[in-house]
Amino acid sequence: MFRLLVLMGFTFFFYHLHASGNLTKYINMKYSYLSFTAIFLLAVLTAVQAYVFIKSPEKNGHDHDCGCGHDHDHEHGHEQNKPFYKRYFIYLVFLFPLISGIFFPIATLDSSIVKTKGFSFKAMETGDHYSQTQYLRPDSSLYYAQDSYDKLMKKLYDKYSGQKEISLKDEDFLKGMETIYNYPGEFLGRTIDFNGFAYKGNAINKRQLFVLRFGIIHCIADSGVYGMLAEFPKDMDIKDDEWVHMKGTLSSEYYQPFKSTLPVVKVTDWHTIKKPDDPYVYRGY
């Protein structure tokens, strides 16, 4: 009975993620076929387990003598004599993620995660990229051979370098950011606009803050926070996690807190916006 309930629960959970649209908060949707496959397999296993449960001798009150010479009553009694935790602990292990996934609210990543992990620019410099959270600059070179990555970046450079005004929508946010960070001098003076949430971090004056998006490469576990430093023409009072649409001119400056030269958007126009239904951006290939 417990097996049947657990299988039914997981089948419903995966289906609910798809139906509610919340699957995007866990994985890149290009992998959605995997969860569709999981729904199908879990549904089949649930049907099989339901058939076994309905046909079981305990359910129908049949005698346990199947003619095989085994004492099933003794075996069943021995199973029942096991301590409770030994019999049902494995079900509790499965029930915990199931209950938390269905009944707990889904939290989206925000500036509090950036504060907790510590906002730095080390991922752009040296060290083991695989063990570091990526900040500001997307780096998909981890997933390509060097030659393939160079060809990809050249293709993206050709695409964006031909645009006098670069408008980064959700679908090309990560690609556009990575291209600009890889060729910073080639885009100076260009107009750019994009959406993101505000994070003041180590801003050295009241006219500066970071405008960021959480990006997902494969799943939420490999997410990073990407975006640019924005400098406004005058002091502004934008709170952390407030969503803004900003437009400005690309420039660069040496940013002392990170000891690095960063691309900077000299903002010419901006306004607050409603938080998107899906606050994340995803890496396409």
Side-chain angles (χ1 to χ4, degrees), residues 88-106:
Y88 298 109
F89 177 75
I90 187 63
Y91 298 113
L92 294 177
V93 171
F94 284 105
L95 284 174
F96 176 75
L98 186 59
I99 292 173
S100 61
I102 294 176
F103 296 104
F104 290 4
I106 299 176

Side-chain angles (χ1 to χ4, degrees), residues 152-169 171-180 183 186-187 190-192:
L152 172 64
M153 293 314 301
K154 179 62 168 60
K155 182 178 179 180
L156 290 174
Y157 171 75
D158 291 341
K159 172 184 176 181
Y160 292 107
S161 63
Q163 301 177 11
K164 185 177 180 180
E165 295 188 3
I166 303 171
S167 182
L168 297 182
K169 306 301 183 184
E171 57 269 18
D172 61 355
F173 184 92
L174 293 180
K175 291 179 180 179
M177 282 290 171
E178 186 168 6
T179 305
I180 293 171
Y183 304 95
E186 304 298 325
F187 294 94
R190 301 287 182 91
T191 300
I192 187 172

Side-chain angles (χ1 to χ4, degrees), residues 71-88:
D71 188 352
H72 292 284
D73 287 332
H74 174 74
E75 292 175 1
H76 181 68
H78 178 70
E79 182 70 20
Q80 291 295 323
N81 289 330
K82 286 184 178 180
F84 176 84
Y85 73 90
K86 286 187 177 181
R87 280 185 288 148
Y88 298 109

Side-chain angles (χ1 to χ4, degrees), residues 5-284:
L5 291 176
V6 169
L7 285 170
M8 288 176 62
F10 273 103
T11 304
F12 170 78
F13 176 53
F14 279 97
Y15 171 78
H16 176 69
L17 286 177
H18 275 278
S20 64
N22 286 326
L23 187 65
T24 59
K25 295 180 174 64
Y26 293 98
I27 65 170
N28 189 327
M29 286 302 290
K30 69 176 183 176
Y31 299 114
S32 61
Y33 69 91
L34 294 175
S35 59
F36 273 118
T37 303
I39 293 173
F40 173 75
L41 293 177
L42 286 168
V44 171
L45 291 174
T46 301
V48 171
Q49 187 61 40
Y51 176 81
V52 171
F53 173 71
I54 293 173
K55 292 296 184 179
S56 64
E58 294 89 345
K59 176 71 177 176
N60 295 296
H62 294 163
D63 193 282
H64 282 244
D65 184 9
C66 63
C68 63
H70 293 157
D71 188 352
H72 292 284
D73 287 332
H74 174 74
E75 292 175 1
H76 181 68
H78 178 70
E79 182 70 20
Q80 291 295 323
N81 289 330
K82 286 184 178 180
F84 176 84
Y85 73 90
K86 286 187 177 181
R87 280 185 288 148
Y88 298 109
F89 177 75
I90 187 63
Y91 298 113
L92 294 177
V93 171
F94 284 105
L95 284 174
F96 176 75
L98 186 59
I99 292 173
S100 61
I102 294 176
F103 296 104
F104 290 4
I106 299 176
T108 54
L109 302 177
D110 55 23
S111 65
S112 62
I113 303 297
V114 183
K115 295 173 185 176
T116 301
K117 290 188 174 184
F119 195 46
S120 69
F121 216 43
K122 293 181 179 178
M124 287 187 61
E125 299 166 2
T126 59
D128 183 4
H129 291 265
Y130 292 98
S131 63
Q132 296 179 355
T133 300
Q134 291 188 19
Y135 291 103
L136 293 183
R137 172 183 178 175
D139 183 8
S140 60
S141 64
L142 310 175
Y143 310 102
Y144 294 92
Q146 188 61 48
D147 289 346
S148 298
Y149 180 71
D150 291 342
K151 291 178 181 178
L152 172 64
M153 293 314 301
K154 179 62 168 60
K155 182 178 179 180
L156 290 174
Y157 171 75
D158 291 341
K159 172 184 176 181
Y160 292 107
S161 63
Q163 301 177 11
K164 185 177 180 180
E165 295 188 3
I166 303 171
S167 182
L168 297 182
K169 306 301 183 184
D170 289 3
E171 57 269 18
D172 61 355
F173 184 92
L174 293 180
K175 291 179 180 179
M177 282 290 171
E178 186 168 6
T179 305
I180 293 171
Y181 272 103
N182 278 348
Y183 304 95
E186 304 298 325
F187 294 94
L188 296 179
R190 301 287 182 91
T191 300
I192 187 172
D193 70 272
F194 58 91
N195 300 332
F197 67 88
Y199 176 69
K200 294 183 179 179
N202 297 321
I204 56 178
N205 63 59
K206 293 183 178 181
R207 295 188 295 114
Q208 290 185 334
L209 54 75
F210 292 94
V211 179
L212 308 170
R213 298 292 296 267
F214 273 96
I216 295 178
I217 307 299
H218 299 107
C219 66
I220 198 68
D222 62 17
S223 64
V225 61
Y226 309 106
M228 287 185 183
L229 179 65
E231 185 172 299
F232 293 76
K234 59 182 180 180
D235 292 355
M236 41 65 200
D237 185 25
I238 301 177
K239 305 290 191 301
D240 282 356
D241 294 318
E242 193 169 1
W243 281 79
V244 297
H245 173 82
M246 56 168 235
K247 182 177 183 180
T249 304
L250 281 168
S251 181
S252 67
E253 70 176 56
Y254 184 80
Y255 191 66
Q256 181 60 36
F258 293 168
K259 295 180 172 57
S260 298
T261 299
L262 305 182
V264 178
V265 180
K266 302 289 186 179
V267 179
T268 57
D269 183 38
W270 67 276
H271 59 271
T272 59
I273 60 174
K274 180 183 177 182
K275 180 180 177 180
D277 292 335
D278 186 359
Y280 303 148
V281 289
Y282 305 89
R283 186 65 163 89

